[in-house]
């Protein structure tokens, strides 16, 4: 499967436009990000989130059948925090034609337990998505320091 990475830029008129940054080939059984395990595996193999020294947040844009439309880098923070706002997420989701989104970020400490801030941001993004009919279907936290562990906030009933 081909995974495309996108970003947003301002055009000559100051409007926000979608720009393809790069594409990578990824061997997978299907073209769907339909389970937390498949999403975690993609993020481990392609972005090596478990090796990053700072928290990084990505958004996966999906169509209605969970086919991955693209991956967006959202924010890079510090060793234990990152800035995320629903506005920046949903600008990208709308421009990509997403029917649903998944948030993914890493914890360099290796501990995948969500912080209070992680839960707060997840709730804000979920509420915004309900308003514009692009639901947040999961928020996955990847462990750091070579750790293949992850937690799905949906599976943990925290979404």
């Amino acid at each position: 499967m081909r995974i495309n990475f996108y970003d947003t830029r301002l055009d000559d008129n100051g409007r926000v436009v979608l720009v393809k940054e790069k594409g990578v080939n990824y061997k997978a059984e299907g073209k769907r990000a339909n389970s937390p395990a498949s999403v975690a595996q993609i993020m481990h193999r392609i972005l090596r989130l478990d090796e990053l020294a700072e928290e990084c947040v990505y958004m996966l844009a999906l169509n209605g059948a969970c086919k991955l439309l693209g991956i967006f880098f959202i924010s890079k923070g510090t060793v234990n925090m990152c800035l995320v706002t629903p506005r920046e997420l949903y600008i990208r989701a709308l421009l990509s034609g997403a029917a649903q989104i998944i948030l993914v970020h890493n914890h360099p400490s290796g501990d995948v337990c969500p912080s209070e801030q992680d839960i707060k941001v997840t709730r804000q993004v979920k509420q915004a998505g309900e308003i514009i009919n692009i639901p947040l279907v999961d928020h996955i936290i990847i462990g750091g320091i070579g750790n293949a562990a992850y937690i799905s906030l949906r599976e943990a009933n925290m979404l």
Side-chain angles (χ1 to χ4, degrees), residues 90 124-135:
Y90 283 108
Q124 289 174 341
V125 171
K126 182 181 179 198
Q127 288 173 346
E130 288 169 353
I131 291 168
I132 62 172
N133 201 27
I134 302 176

Side-chain angles (χ1 to χ4, degrees), residues 8-18 87 91 95:
T8 52
R9 300 276 191 267
L10 295 176
D11 69 8
D12 293 338
N13 297 314
R15 291 180 293 218
V16 177
V17 295
L18 191 64
R87 179 186 185 276
I91 285 172
L95 287 171

Side-chain angles (χ1 to χ4, degrees), residues 93-110:
L94 288 164
L95 287 171
S96 68
Q100 51 193 336
I101 65 168
I102 297 173
L103 279 182
V104 181
H105 82 278
N106 66 313
H107 278 180
S109 68

Side-chain angles (χ1 to χ4, degrees), residues 34-59:
N34 57 2
S35 73
S38 66
V39 170
Q41 185 177 55
I42 289 169
M43 301 308 278
H44 274 295
R45 288 189 180 167
I46 293 177
L47 295 171
R48 305 184 74 89
L49 282 185
D50 57 320
E51 297 177 6
L52 300 178
E54 297 89 18
E55 281 196 15
C56 292
V57 179
Y58 288 85
M59 181 195 71

